[in-house]
Amino acid sequence: MPPNRDRFHGTPLPLFRPDGDEAIPDGPALRAGRVPSYLADHRARLRERFMAGGAEAMPDYELLELVLFRAIPRQDAKPLARRLIETFGDFARVLAAPPARLSAVTGAGPAVVTELKIVAAAAQRMARGRVLQRPVLSSWDALLDYCHTALSHAGTEEFRVLFLDRKNVLIADEAQGRGTVDHVPVYPREILRRALELGASALILVHNHPSGDPTPSEADIEMTHRILTGAEVMGIAIHDHLVIGAGREVSFRREGLL
């Protein structure tokens, strides 16, 4: 009987990466840990186009390819980028998708999901930096951009409160509740208690409608009035309630609902 080592001599290379990402095509370059020249050239061209024309010069799937390069460094990222766009609709929705749904897409292993969530967090952090510790009412467009970045592509309703000081500077932005696709529990007493803890003088209420239609519901209006009634007793102003939809928002103040 031949030695045991001969039984494993012909064991094939694994078809999948240990992290669960897409299968790696076999070949001398990949077995040597190198990127094939055709992939290296393609990636170099994409990077050059991005640096020359920016994101506006690229379709969503190509911009997503650039993001995926770090997560899957030795294989073609285009098929996965296209699958992600086809599954979720566009670049922003891919970044906003829950990790469990991303993982369900063939080829999207832990490394891919982590990379996408890092980019999503960076985008939110940049948008938040434009409004944090600044007078909110004088940088309203930046505030709207931040709200859309944080909420417009979420798959469930989320209710956030922006706490402002006496100079209307944003001192905190906190989620007060997360719910289902069409409902989120909100507790006015907890919102006002938190405002007192932070020493806030004014609030801006924000929540999203995953359906994409930001038209306030009767429940939205009733809940806002309950918060307003309690805030008036405590001397806290409610500057606005923003309902974030797909590419647009409704302002309670603008619509005469406050």
Side-chain angles (χ1 to χ4, degrees):
M1 182 175 179
N4 284 343
R5 66 176 180 273
D6 292 342
R7 296 169 58 194
F8 301 96
H9 188 71
T11 301
L13 291 173
L15 294 177
F16 296 90
R17 289 167 58 106
D19 63 8
D21 286 333
E22 204 169 69
I24 302 176
D26 195 5
L30 290 178
R31 285 198 296 268
R34 298 192 304 271
V35 178
S37 59
Y38 75 94
L39 279 183
D41 293 344
H42 172 67
R43 293 184 176 204
R45 287 193 297 271
L46 274 188
R47 291 187 176 109
E48 288 170 2
R49 284 178 50 207
F50 175 77
M51 294 307 296
E56 296 302 319
M58 312 185 79
D60 278 3
Y61 79 89
E62 288 187 339
L63 187 61
L64 193 54
E65 272 192 83
L66 289 171
V67 173
L68 294 175
F69 285 170
R70 281 167 48 87
I72 45 177
R74 293 187 299 277
Q75 66 189 93
D76 187 0
K78 183 185 294 184
L80 177 56
R82 287 188 177 275
R83 281 198 296 275
L84 288 166
I85 296 295
E86 288 169 2
T87 301
F88 298 104
D90 58 31
F91 183 85
R93 287 183 172 85
V94 171
L95 295 186
R101 290 196 61 203
L102 288 170
S103 297
V105 177
T106 301
V112 166
V113 174
T114 299
E115 196 71 21
L116 293 174
K117 291 294 116 181
I118 289 172
V119 174
Q124 289 193 26
R125 187 70 60 89
M126 289 180 65
R128 186 170 184 262
R130 295 177 60 199
V131 297
L132 192 63
Q133 301 300 329
R134 299 182 184 184
V136 167
L137 300 185
S138 62
S139 54
W140 194 250
D141 288 343
L143 175 68
L144 293 179
D145 286 345
Y146 168 58
C147 292
H148 278 280
T149 300
L151 293 173
S152 63
H153 297 291
T156 58
E157 279 201 22
E158 180 174 328
F159 191 92
R160 306 189 70 87
V161 179
L162 310 183
F163 299 91
L164 313 178
D165 66 12
R166 292 185 181 279
K167 295 182 179 180
N168 289 318
V169 170
L170 180 65
I171 55 177
D173 163 27
E174 297 181 356
Q176 296 295 313
R178 291 182 174 89
T180 63
V181 294
D182 59 2
H183 174 72
V184 59
V186 177
Y187 304 100
R189 179 180 298 177
E190 291 302 309
I191 292 172
L192 297 173
R193 179 187 62 79
R194 184 59 176 152
L196 293 175
E197 289 178 352
L198 293 170
S201 297
L203 310 175
I204 296 175
L205 313 176
V206 187
H207 84 281
N208 64 309
H209 280 180
S211 68
D213 180 3
T215 304
S217 66
E218 289 299 321
D220 293 338
I221 296 171
E222 179 184 353
M223 175 267 297
T224 303
H225 287 164
R226 288 170 57 203
I227 297 174
L228 179 62
T229 298
E232 287 176 340
V233 172
M234 296 181 174
I236 298 173
I238 305 295
H239 284 325
D240 210 339
H241 183 171
L242 300 172
V243 185
I244 305 299
R248 64 191 184 97
E249 73 287 332
V250 167
S251 159
F252 271 51
R253 179 73 62 185
R254 188 173 59 226
E255 297 297 320
L257 298 172
L258 269 179

